[in-house]
Every structure is written in structure tokens, then in C-alpha cells.
Amino acid sequence: MPRPKKKSPSLHPDLESVLYTEAQIKKRIRTLAGELKAVYGDGEFTIVSLINGAIMFTADLMREIDNPVRLDCIRISSYGAKTKSVGAPQLIATLTLDIANRHVLIVDDILDTGKTLTLVAGLVRKLGPASLRTCVLLDKTARREVPFEADFVGFKIPDKFVIGYGLDYAERYRNLPCIGVLNPAAAG
Ligand code: IMP
Ligand code: MG
């Protein structure tokens, strides 16, 4: 009897291309955790995760870290069904943990125009942390409107709208295990 053909992993129809596979993301996050270790040593720090986008990244990064960590989340208004950031980001839900005199690491999925992280870093700084650093999985350097450099960057990527691994378009695709470029036809 002929053996059934093994299916090659098919590209999601709404993806133009895959930028990073699940395995590549995992590998990079492991080394990123090592970069954090080099800075924080064994000390405690507080992760401030920007939800929803940074959910997957935060969950996976945290599991690669053996330091004592605390976790809090901040929710910032999203793009809506658009692929370009418009207007100023708004704070929708703020911190519940006390971060005064704590070492704080802000974690986000992607640094784009820089407006979101500028806003959040400003808010956190006002609360008097012992130190403040930022970590993003992706950095679209070409799109910066406000000067902002993250202390830790997973991958620098070209100016393309990407989805998957927490990143959405109109609240969809967050559950894709890879990161890919949105097919413009799917953006309508
Ligand atoms: P910024 O304020 O322009 O730096 O935008 C940062 C936020 O916009 C990120 O936290 C994402 O939620 C969202 N964003 C920026 N670029 C993309 C993208 O290519 N795909 C999905 N979301 C994005
Ligand atoms: Mg976001």
C-alpha cells in the first residue's frame, strides 16, 4: 500500500511569508534570557507586560528566567483594524503592584513608532523604580517617530506589518505560533 505523503507545513493563507518560525523564536528567547541574566544577575525584578500583544512573549520569556520575578500588566489602546499606528496611544488599565524602588523591566511585543513605550516608560518612571529597562521581541527601526531604544531586542525587522505569536490584525492571528508578514489582501 502506498504510504501517505507527509504534508509539508502549509503557509497560513493570510500570511505573505513567515519571518520567524516557532523554533527560531524559542531559540532567540533563550539567548535573550541569557542577556537579561548578564544584567540582572540573580536579583529580583518586576516585569511590566503590555497586553494583549506581549502575552506570548512574556509567558515564554518568563519561563526562561530563573530569577525571582514579579509580574504586572498594563493595557494600552490598540490600533483597531489598521496596519499603521494612528494618534496617541491611551492607557486603558494600569499597574496594580507597587513598583517604587523595584527593578522594572517593561516587556512589549514590538517597538514601532516608539509612542507606546515612550508613554509607558514615562508612567513607570514617575512611580520611582530603582531601575527601568525595556525588552521587545521585535523592533521596526525604520518606523520610529519618537526616539526610543529598547535595552533588549529579540529581532530587528523590516517595515512590514507582522502578525502571530501575540501580534494581531483586528484582534485576529494572535494564536499563530510563528511570526509572519500579513498578506495585504487579508487586510482588506
Ligand atoms: P508604537 O507605539 O507605534 O511603537 O506601537 C507599538 C504597538 O503597536 C505594539 O505594542 C503593537 O501592539 C502595535 N504594532 C506595531 N506594529 C505592529 C505590527 O506590525 N503588527 C501588529 N501590531 C503592531
Ligand atoms: Mg502592543
Side-chain angles (χ1 to χ4, degrees), residues 79 108-110 112-116 140 161-162 167-168:
Y79 278 11
D108 202 7
D109 52 357
I110 184 166
D112 187 29
T113 65
K115 292 180 196 168
T116 302
K140 261 194 232 175
F161 194 81
V162 293
L167 293 125
D168 74 307

Side-chain angles (χ1 to χ4, degrees), residues 50-54 76-78 108-110 116 167-168 174:
L50 272 56
I51 54 171
N52 295 329
I76 303 288
S77 61
S78 79
D108 202 7
D109 52 357
I110 184 166
T116 302
L167 293 125
D168 74 307
R174 294 194 198 274

Side-chain angles (χ1 to χ4, degrees), residues 121-144:
L123 290 169
V124 169
R125 210 168 276 127
K126 275 192 203 146
L127 300 170
S131 69
L132 174 59
R133 294 186 179 89
T134 49
C135 176
V136 295
L137 180 61
L138 306 173
D139 186 355
K140 261 194 232 175
T141 49
R143 294 228 338 127
R144 209 73 92 248

Side-chain angles (χ1 to χ4, degrees), residues 15-16 18 32-33 35 42 68-69 78 81 89 92 94 108-109 112 114 117 120 127 148 150 167 170 177:
L15 283 181
E16 191 180 80
V18 171
L32 208 46
E35 293 170 31
D42 294 328
V69 287
S78 79
I92 294 176
T94 194
D108 202 7
D109 52 357
D112 187 29
L117 277 178
V120 175
L127 300 170
F148 196 100
L167 293 125

Side-chain angles (χ1 to χ4, degrees), residues 53-70:
I55 272 187
M56 310 284 179
F57 178 41
T58 306
D60 286 344
L61 182 66
M62 282 184 80
R63 280 178 286 187
E64 295 291 343
I65 295 169
D66 60 7
N67 299 48
V69 287
R70 304 193 308 158

Side-chain angles (χ1 to χ4, degrees), residues 3-152:
R3 279 175 50 201
K5 265 196 193 148
K6 229 187 184 175
K7 264 195 186 169
S8 61
S10 54
L11 186 67
H12 189 287
D14 294 348
L15 283 181
E16 191 180 80
S17 61
V18 171
L19 223 44
Y20 299 107
T21 63
E22 194 176 356
Q24 288 169 322
I25 297 168
K26 195 176 172 57
K27 193 169 167 217
R28 181 66 188 107
I29 289 178
R30 191 159 287 166
T31 53
L32 208 46
E35 293 170 31
L36 291 171
K37 190 84 187 164
V39 171
Y40 288 103
D42 294 328
E44 183 186 276
F45 56 96
T46 302
I47 291 176
V48 170
S49 174
L50 272 56
I51 54 171
N52 295 329
I55 272 187
M56 310 284 179
F57 178 41
T58 306
D60 286 344
L61 182 66
M62 282 184 80
R63 280 178 286 187
E64 295 291 343
I65 295 169
D66 60 7
N67 299 48
V69 287
R70 304 193 308 158
L71 173 67
D72 206 347
C73 297
I74 285 188
R75 185 183 288 270
I76 303 288
S77 61
S78 79
Y79 278 11
K82 295 179 196 74
T83 57
K84 293 274 185 251
S85 113
V86 279
Q90 307 283 325
L91 180 74
I92 294 176
T94 194
L95 295 169
T96 53
L97 292 182
D98 181 8
I99 55 162
N101 302 314
R102 303 286 189 154
H103 296 289
V104 173
L105 180 69
I106 300 175
V107 174
D108 202 7
D109 52 357
I110 184 166
L111 178 52
D112 187 29
T113 65
K115 292 180 196 168
T116 302
L117 277 178
T118 301
L119 171 77
V120 175
L123 290 169
V124 169
R125 210 168 276 127
K126 275 192 203 146
L127 300 170
S131 69
L132 174 59
R133 294 186 179 89
T134 49
C135 176
V136 295
L137 180 61
L138 306 173
D139 186 355
K140 261 194 232 175
T141 49
R143 294 228 338 127
R144 209 73 92 248
E145 290 177 24
V146 191
F148 196 100
E149 291 294 322
D151 297 286
F152 306 93

